[in-house]
Every structure is written in C-alpha cells, then in structure tokens.
Amino acid sequence: MSDKPHVIINYPWYQPALDRMAEICTPHVLSEAENPDAVLAEFGPKAKAICTPGLCDVALMDACPEAKLISSFGVGYDGVDIAAATARGIKVTNTPDVLNDCVADLALGLVLATRRRIVEADIYTRQGRWVSEGNFPYVHKVHSSKVGIVGLGRIGMEIAARCAAFKMEIAYHKRTKRDDVPYTFYADLVEMARDCEILIVITPGGAETNNLVNAGVINALGPDGLLVNVARGSVVDMDALIPALKEGRLGAAGLDVFPDEPNVPEALLGMTENVVLTPHVASASHDTRMAMGMVVYDNVVAHLAGKPLLTPVN
C-alpha cells in the first residue's frame, strides 16, 4: 500500500482527471469497491480528505474523522451539508468559473433547439416527411426575444452575454439588485415571467430555491413562453410544469436537470413537439470536465500542504 495520504472518493467523476489523483494521494473509490463498507471502515479513519462529485452526507463525514476537506467536483454544493461540515471543522471547496462558458453554451443551445424545434425538424427531415407532408411548421424566433434570467451569478452573466449577442432584451431576478449590469432587475419573479418570452433558470439549488419556479411563474410565462433549466431539478416544480406543458399553458421547455436524476418523469419523455431533454450535460465537455477535476486536485494539494484552499465555500 502506498504511503501517500489516503483520500476517500464516494463516486467517480471525469476519469482522466480522477486518474491524476493517484499522483498526490491513495484514492479509495467507494462505488467501485467490491465491499464499499469494508473499504470505508478500513481507510475512512485514515483519510485526510473526501472528494465527491457533489454528494457528501453526515455519515460519510463521521466515517472520516481526520478528513478536514471535502473537495466537490461541481459548482453546486447543495448536496453537501455545509453546516455539518463547518461544525466538524471541515472546509468545503467547489469548482467555480471553469464551467461557466460550457453551461452557458448549453443554455443557449436549449433555447435554440426548443424555440426553433431543431430536434423535431431533424426527425421530420430524416423520416421523409418534408417530401410527403411539405414544409415544416413555422416556429418562434430567438433573436430580439425578451429573456429573463433567474439568477445572475457567474454563469448567469455568461448566459446574458450570449443573449446580448442574439440581440435579446435581458432581464434578471435574484435576491438583490446588481449595480454593475445594464439589465432590467425584477424583484418579483412572476412579474418577470409575465414580461418575458424566455425564462432561463441558473440559480443555486437547495431549500431556499426549492420549487422557486412554481405554477404562478409558469402560468405567467404563458402559452408562447419557453422555460430552460440548467440549474437544479429541484428549482422547478414538476407537478406544475408537466400539466402546464400538456395543457398548453406553457409553450415549451428545455431541461438539462431533473429532481430525481437519472430518472426523468415519464410524461416528459413523450413530449417531442415542445420539450427538449438532455441528461445533465451542461458542463460535460472534455476540456471543462478536466478543468473541474484539476480544481479538485489543486484543492487537495493545497490542503495536504497546509496552504490556503483555492475555492473554499465555508
């Protein structure tokens, strides 16, 4: 067994980045072990850090009493009990900034795919329906639309920059108004949805934003409106979204995230005309996932050397 410090990894992430961890520590990937409980019982008490693609409960923290770092692979850290970690003297890090552009790209990709019905048009063409049925139905434009961004943090700003390139009229909703942007601020999310054609959700998950996009917001967006979610599945009330799409009270949705991943509500799977679904891939490019993995790596290096962490969140 290596004399490098032990690190517990509950689930793997991007493999080329994960492979680099062996340079600095002895990694133990629980989900790949024949007997995860036995591995955790043996090496948890020796572990100096926990690395995770986003989930770390109190039980795992308590199984690793010497671990004073939870290095999370992802910008969101709502799957980590921050209060419990802080109470145990554990620092938590995430991987901000390196994924901003990739997530923003997909957000605009979902806008384009859904408003222009690109996926459906592709199928229409391949099935020979252009020949047999004539021209594809008309769609909604993307350029010069009114867009509301729910959450205007680092990723939200990148989304806004892309929307500006499409000549969109940009508004945003968050807890506090920003003084450094030219976009229209709405304290009331329902009011913003009523005034917009497209709503893009990029706010953090967690209890504070659970079902933030509710029936009132969805109905305000209306039968010609588009909802895009690249945040967390918990932010959108599925019990309100699905009936609104079925009944035509909401025009369309582009969804990359879901409340119970990887399970997607069955009702959404059959909605091919007005819904585009992707399997939580907003940051899933080779370059971005490697960059995220190296932020995890660098935080562990700093922790083991007793140096300041790169991206602490507590």
Side-chain angles (χ1 to χ4, degrees), residues 246-269:
K246 281 183 177 179
E247 297 163 14
R249 289 182 284 109
L250 177 66
L255 307 172
D256 184 53
V257 289
F258 307 89
D260 182 30
E261 297 176 0
N263 301 302
V264 177
E266 188 71 26
L268 291 174
L269 299 178

PDB file of all heavy atoms in Angstrom, residues 246-269:
ATOM      1  N   LYS A 246     -48.655  19.961 -20.942  1.00  0.00           N
ATOM      2  CA  LYS A 246     -49.706  19.125 -21.537  1.00  0.00           C
ATOM      3  C   LYS A 246     -50.896  19.949 -22.000  1.00  0.00           C
ATOM      4  O   LYS A 246     -51.468  19.709 -23.067  1.00  0.00           O
ATOM      5  CB  LYS A 246     -50.184  18.086 -20.511  1.00  0.00           C
ATOM      6  CG  LYS A 246     -49.290  16.886 -20.348  1.00  0.00           C
ATOM      7  CD  LYS A 246     -49.928  15.907 -19.368  1.00  0.00           C
ATOM      8  CE  LYS A 246     -49.099  14.645 -19.216  1.00  0.00           C
ATOM      9  NZ  LYS A 246     -49.714  13.705 -18.234  1.00  0.00           N
ATOM     10  N   GLU A 247     -51.280  20.919 -21.185  1.00  0.00           N
ATOM     11  CA  GLU A 247     -52.495  21.693 -21.439  1.00  0.00           C
ATOM     12  C   GLU A 247     -52.252  22.930 -22.293  1.00  0.00           C
ATOM     13  O   GLU A 247     -53.196  23.659 -22.608  1.00  0.00           O
ATOM     14  CB  GLU A 247     -53.120  22.088 -20.094  1.00  0.00           C
ATOM     15  CG  GLU A 247     -53.568  20.892 -19.261  1.00  0.00           C
ATOM     16  CD  GLU A 247     -53.791  21.239 -17.802  1.00  0.00           C
ATOM     17  OE1 GLU A 247     -53.858  22.457 -17.479  1.00  0.00           O
ATOM     18  OE2 GLU A 247     -53.878  20.292 -16.970  1.00  0.00           O
ATOM     19  N   GLY A 248     -50.995  23.178 -22.644  1.00  0.00           N
ATOM     20  CA  GLY A 248     -50.686  24.326 -23.481  1.00  0.00           C
ATOM     21  C   GLY A 248     -50.628  25.640 -22.733  1.00  0.00           C
ATOM     22  O   GLY A 248     -50.564  26.710 -23.348  1.00  0.00           O
ATOM     23  N   ARG A 249     -50.612  25.591 -21.409  1.00  0.00           N
ATOM     24  CA  ARG A 249     -50.472  26.832 -20.628  1.00  0.00           C
ATOM     25  C   ARG A 249     -49.031  27.328 -20.640  1.00  0.00           C
ATOM     26  O   ARG A 249     -48.769  28.494 -20.365  1.00  0.00           O
ATOM     27  CB  ARG A 249     -50.962  26.621 -19.200  1.00  0.00           C
ATOM     28  CG  ARG A 249     -52.465  26.465 -19.092  1.00  0.00           C
ATOM     29  CD  ARG A 249     -52.924  26.294 -17.659  1.00  0.00           C
ATOM     30  NE  ARG A 249     -52.648  24.957 -17.148  1.00  0.00           N
ATOM     31  CZ  ARG A 249     -51.729  24.673 -16.231  1.00  0.00           C
ATOM     32  NH1 ARG A 249     -50.970  25.639 -15.724  1.00  0.00           N
ATOM     33  NH2 ARG A 249     -51.551  23.436 -15.803  1.00  0.00           N
ATOM     34  N   LEU A 250     -48.087  26.433 -20.935  1.00  0.00           N
ATOM     35  CA  LEU A 250     -46.689  26.794 -21.180  1.00  0.00           C
ATOM     36  C   LEU A 250     -46.331  26.270 -22.554  1.00  0.00           C
ATOM     37  O   LEU A 250     -46.649  25.124 -22.897  1.00  0.00           O
ATOM     38  CB  LEU A 250     -45.766  26.190 -20.124  1.00  0.00           C
ATOM     39  CG  LEU A 250     -44.262  26.454 -20.335  1.00  0.00           C
ATOM     40  CD1 LEU A 250     -43.954  27.937 -20.176  1.00  0.00           C
ATOM     41  CD2 LEU A 250     -43.414  25.630 -19.361  1.00  0.00           C
ATOM     42  N   GLY A 251     -45.638  27.100 -23.328  1.00  0.00           N
ATOM     43  CA  GLY A 251     -45.350  26.719 -24.702  1.00  0.00           C
ATOM     44  C   GLY A 251     -44.339  25.609 -24.837  1.00  0.00           C
ATOM     45  O   GLY A 251     -44.553  24.640 -25.580  1.00  0.00           O
ATOM     46  N   ALA A 252     -43.214  25.701 -24.130  1.00  0.00           N
ATOM     47  CA  ALA A 252     -42.141  24.734 -24.341  1.00  0.00           C
ATOM     48  C   ALA A 252     -41.181  24.739 -23.158  1.00  0.00           C
ATOM     49  O   ALA A 252     -41.176  25.675 -22.339  1.00  0.00           O
ATOM     50  CB  ALA A 252     -41.382  25.068 -25.628  1.00  0.00           C
ATOM     51  N   ALA A 253     -40.358  23.688 -23.103  1.00  0.00           N
ATOM     52  CA  ALA A 253     -39.337  23.601 -22.051  1.00  0.00           C
ATOM     53  C   ALA A 253     -38.098  22.921 -22.599  1.00  0.00           C
ATOM     54  O   ALA A 253     -38.177  21.992 -23.408  1.00  0.00           O
ATOM     55  CB  ALA A 253     -39.864  22.820 -20.843  1.00  0.00           C
ATOM     56  N   GLY A 254     -36.933  23.406 -22.172  1.00  0.00           N
ATOM     57  CA  GLY A 254     -35.650  22.775 -22.452  1.00  0.00           C
ATOM     58  C   GLY A 254     -35.004  22.462 -21.111  1.00  0.00           C
ATOM     59  O   GLY A 254     -34.687  23.380 -20.355  1.00  0.00           O
ATOM     60  N   LEU A 255     -34.840  21.187 -20.798  1.00  0.00           N
ATOM     61  CA  LEU A 255     -34.439  20.780 -19.450  1.00  0.00           C
ATOM     62  C   LEU A 255     -33.172  19.932 -19.474  1.00  0.00           C
ATOM     63  O   LEU A 255     -33.115  18.915 -20.174  1.00  0.00           O
ATOM     64  CB  LEU A 255     -35.568  19.982 -18.785  1.00  0.00           C
ATOM     65  CG  LEU A 255     -36.948  20.637 -18.759  1.00  0.00           C
ATOM     66  CD1 LEU A 255     -37.995  19.654 -18.242  1.00  0.00           C
ATOM     67  CD2 LEU A 255     -36.928  21.898 -17.908  1.00  0.00           C
ATOM     68  N   ASP A 256     -32.181  20.344 -18.693  1.00  0.00           N
ATOM     69  CA  ASP A 256     -30.945  19.572 -18.554  1.00  0.00           C
ATOM     70  C   ASP A 256     -30.863  18.899 -17.193  1.00  0.00           C
ATOM     71  O   ASP A 256     -30.009  18.049 -16.978  1.00  0.00           O
ATOM     72  CB  ASP A 256     -29.729  20.486 -18.756  1.00  0.00           C
ATOM     73  CG  ASP A 256     -28.415  19.717 -18.726  1.00  0.00           C
ATOM     74  OD1 ASP A 256     -28.296  18.731 -19.482  1.00  0.00           O
ATOM     75  OD2 ASP A 256     -27.511  20.089 -17.949  1.00  0.00           O
ATOM     76  N   VAL A 257     -31.743  19.287 -16.269  1.00  0.00           N
ATOM     77  CA  VAL A 257     -31.673  18.787 -14.890  1.00  0.00           C
ATOM     78  C   VAL A 257     -33.064  18.384 -14.419  1.00  0.00           C
ATOM     79  O   VAL A 257     -34.077  18.936 -14.866  1.00  0.00           O
ATOM     80  CB  VAL A 257     -31.079  19.856 -13.944  1.00  0.00           C
ATOM     81  CG1 VAL A 257     -29.594  20.037 -14.196  1.00  0.00           C
ATOM     82  CG2 VAL A 257     -31.806  21.197 -14.102  1.00  0.00           C
ATOM     83  N   PHE A 258     -33.091  17.428 -13.460  1.00  0.00           N
ATOM     84  CA  PHE A 258     -34.345  16.844 -13.008  1.00  0.00           C
ATOM     85  C   PHE A 258     -34.255  16.547 -11.513  1.00  0.00           C
ATOM     86  O   PHE A 258     -33.165  16.342 -10.981  1.00  0.00           O
ATOM     87  CB  PHE A 258     -34.636  15.569 -13.806  1.00  0.00           C
ATOM     88  CG  PHE A 258     -34.577  15.798 -15.301  1.00  0.00           C
ATOM     89  CD1 PHE A 258     -33.373  15.645 -15.991  1.00  0.00           C
ATOM     90  CD2 PHE A 258     -35.688  16.222 -15.994  1.00  0.00           C
ATOM     91  CE1 PHE A 258     -33.289  15.892 -17.354  1.00  0.00           C
ATOM     92  CE2 PHE A 258     -35.618  16.477 -17.360  1.00  0.00           C
ATOM     93  CZ  PHE A 258     -34.426  16.313 -18.036  1.00  0.00           C
ATOM     94  N   PRO A 259     -35.391  16.496 -10.824  1.00  0.00           N
ATOM     95  CA  PRO A 259     -35.351  16.318  -9.371  1.00  0.00           C
ATOM     96  C   PRO A 259     -34.781  14.987  -8.912  1.00  0.00           C
ATOM     97  O   PRO A 259     -34.165  14.903  -7.859  1.00  0.00           O
ATOM     98  CB  PRO A 259     -36.826  16.454  -8.954  1.00  0.00           C
ATOM     99  CG  PRO A 259     -37.484  17.195 -10.067  1.00  0.00           C
ATOM    100  CD  PRO A 259     -36.753  16.794 -11.303  1.00  0.00           C
ATOM    101  N   ASP A 260     -35.000  13.910  -9.694  1.00  0.00           N
ATOM    102  CA  ASP A 260     -34.609  12.566  -9.266  1.00  0.00           C
ATOM    103  C   ASP A 260     -33.717  11.915 -10.318  1.00  0.00           C
ATOM    104  O   ASP A 260     -34.035  10.874 -10.867  1.00  0.00           O
ATOM    105  CB  ASP A 260     -35.873  11.717  -9.026  1.00  0.00           C
ATOM    106  CG  ASP A 260     -35.549  10.313  -8.527  1.00  0.00           C
ATOM    107  OD1 ASP A 260     -34.517  10.152  -7.840  1.00  0.00           O
ATOM    108  OD2 ASP A 260     -36.319   9.379  -8.825  1.00  0.00           O
ATOM    109  N   GLU A 261     -32.594  12.550 -10.595  1.00  0.00           N
ATOM    110  CA  GLU A 261     -31.710  12.046 -11.645  1.00  0.00           C
ATOM    111  C   GLU A 261     -31.096  10.697 -11.264  1.00  0.00           C
ATOM    112  O   GLU A 261     -30.795  10.477 -10.094  1.00  0.00           O
ATOM    113  CB  GLU A 261     -30.597  13.070 -11.907  1.00  0.00           C
ATOM    114  CG  GLU A 261     -31.145  14.384 -12.433  1.00  0.00           C
ATOM    115  CD  GLU A 261     -30.066  15.450 -12.618  1.00  0.00           C
ATOM    116  OE1 GLU A 261     -28.883  15.159 -12.328  1.00  0.00           O
ATOM    117  OE2 GLU A 261     -30.407  16.558 -13.044  1.00  0.00           O
ATOM    118  N   PRO A 262     -30.953   9.779 -12.235  1.00  0.00           N
ATOM    119  CA  PRO A 262     -31.155   9.963 -13.678  1.00  0.00           C
ATOM    120  C   PRO A 262     -32.577   9.701 -14.167  1.00  0.00           C
ATOM    121  O   PRO A 262     -32.815   9.588 -15.366  1.00  0.00           O
ATOM    122  CB  PRO A 262     -30.195   8.929 -14.276  1.00  0.00           C
ATOM    123  CG  PRO A 262     -30.243   7.800 -13.289  1.00  0.00           C
ATOM    124  CD  PRO A 262     -30.362   8.462 -11.925  1.00  0.00           C
ATOM    125  N   ASN A 263     -33.512   9.580 -13.241  1.00  0.00           N
ATOM    126  CA  ASN A 263     -34.897   9.323 -13.628  1.00  0.00           C
ATOM    127  C   ASN A 263     -35.553  10.611 -14.116  1.00  0.00           C
ATOM    128  O   ASN A 263     -35.493  11.638 -13.442  1.00  0.00           O
ATOM    129  CB  ASN A 263     -35.673   8.754 -12.442  1.00  0.00           C
ATOM    130  CG  ASN A 263     -35.067   7.460 -11.930  1.00  0.00           C
ATOM    131  OD1 ASN A 263     -34.944   6.500 -12.670  1.00  0.00           O
ATOM    132  ND2 ASN A 263     -34.655   7.451 -10.669  1.00  0.00           N
ATOM    133  N   VAL A 264     -36.184  10.522 -15.273  1.00  0.00           N
ATOM    134  CA  VAL A 264     -36.900  11.650 -15.861  1.00  0.00           C
ATOM    135  C   VAL A 264     -38.386  11.318 -15.835  1.00  0.00           C
ATOM    136  O   VAL A 264     -38.768  10.188 -16.170  1.00  0.00           O
ATOM    137  CB  VAL A 264     -36.435  11.890 -17.316  1.00  0.00           C
ATOM    138  CG1 VAL A 264     -37.234  13.010 -17.965  1.00  0.00           C
ATOM    139  CG2 VAL A 264     -34.944  12.211 -17.338  1.00  0.00           C
ATOM    140  N   PRO A 265     -39.240  12.246 -15.433  1.00  0.00           N
ATOM    141  CA  PRO A 265     -40.679  11.962 -15.414  1.00  0.00           C
ATOM    142  C   PRO A 265     -41.166  11.392 -16.744  1.00  0.00           C
ATOM    143  O   PRO A 265     -40.877  11.946 -17.810  1.00  0.00           O
ATOM    144  CB  PRO A 265     -41.306  13.331 -15.130  1.00  0.00           C
ATOM    145  CG  PRO A 265     -40.259  14.045 -14.336  1.00  0.00           C
ATOM    146  CD  PRO A 265     -38.949  13.595 -14.919  1.00  0.00           C
ATOM    147  N   GLU A 266     -41.886  10.290 -16.675  1.00  0.00           N
ATOM    148  CA  GLU A 266     -42.345   9.588 -17.871  1.00  0.00           C
ATOM    149  C   GLU A 266     -43.126  10.510 -18.798  1.00  0.00           C
ATOM    150  O   GLU A 266     -43.012  10.416 -20.025  1.00  0.00           O
ATOM    151  CB  GLU A 266     -43.228   8.398 -17.459  1.00  0.00           C
ATOM    152  CG  GLU A 266     -43.616   7.475 -18.594  1.00  0.00           C
ATOM    153  CD  GLU A 266     -42.464   6.637 -19.115  1.00  0.00           C
ATOM    154  OE1 GLU A 266     -41.522   6.379 -18.354  1.00  0.00           O
ATOM    155  OE2 GLU A 266     -42.527   6.243 -20.303  1.00  0.00           O
ATOM    156  N   ALA A 267     -43.907  11.398 -18.224  1.00  0.00           N
ATOM    157  CA  ALA A 267     -44.743  12.282 -19.038  1.00  0.00           C
ATOM    158  C   ALA A 267     -43.910  13.157 -19.966  1.00  0.00           C
ATOM    159  O   ALA A 267     -44.325  13.465 -21.090  1.00  0.00           O
ATOM    160  CB  ALA A 267     -45.611  13.154 -18.141  1.00  0.00           C
ATOM    161  N   LEU A 268     -42.714  13.559 -19.521  1.00  0.00           N
ATOM    162  CA  LEU A 268     -41.869  14.414 -20.349  1.00  0.00           C
ATOM    163  C   LEU A 268     -41.301  13.662 -21.548  1.00  0.00           C
ATOM    164  O   LEU A 268     -41.055  14.256 -22.601  1.00  0.00           O
ATOM    165  CB  LEU A 268     -40.720  14.989 -19.521  1.00  0.00           C
ATOM    166  CG  LEU A 268     -41.086  16.014 -18.447  1.00  0.00           C
ATOM    167  CD1 LEU A 268     -39.857  16.360 -17.624  1.00  0.00           C
ATOM    168  CD2 LEU A 268     -41.688  17.272 -19.067  1.00  0.00           C
ATOM    169  N   LEU A 269     -41.081  12.371 -21.401  1.00  0.00           N
ATOM    170  CA  LEU A 269     -40.441  11.595 -22.458  1.00  0.00           C
ATOM    171  C   LEU A 269     -41.290  11.541 -23.725  1.00  0.00           C
ATOM    172  O   LEU A 269     -40.753  11.417 -24.830  1.00  0.00           O
ATOM    173  CB  LEU A 269     -40.149  10.175 -21.969  1.00  0.00           C
ATOM    174  CG  LEU A 269     -39.201  10.058 -20.769  1.00  0.00           C
ATOM    175  CD1 LEU A 269     -39.041   8.601 -20.357  1.00  0.00           C
ATOM    176  CD2 LEU A 269     -37.843  10.676 -21.076  1.00  0.00           C
TER     177      LEU A 269
END
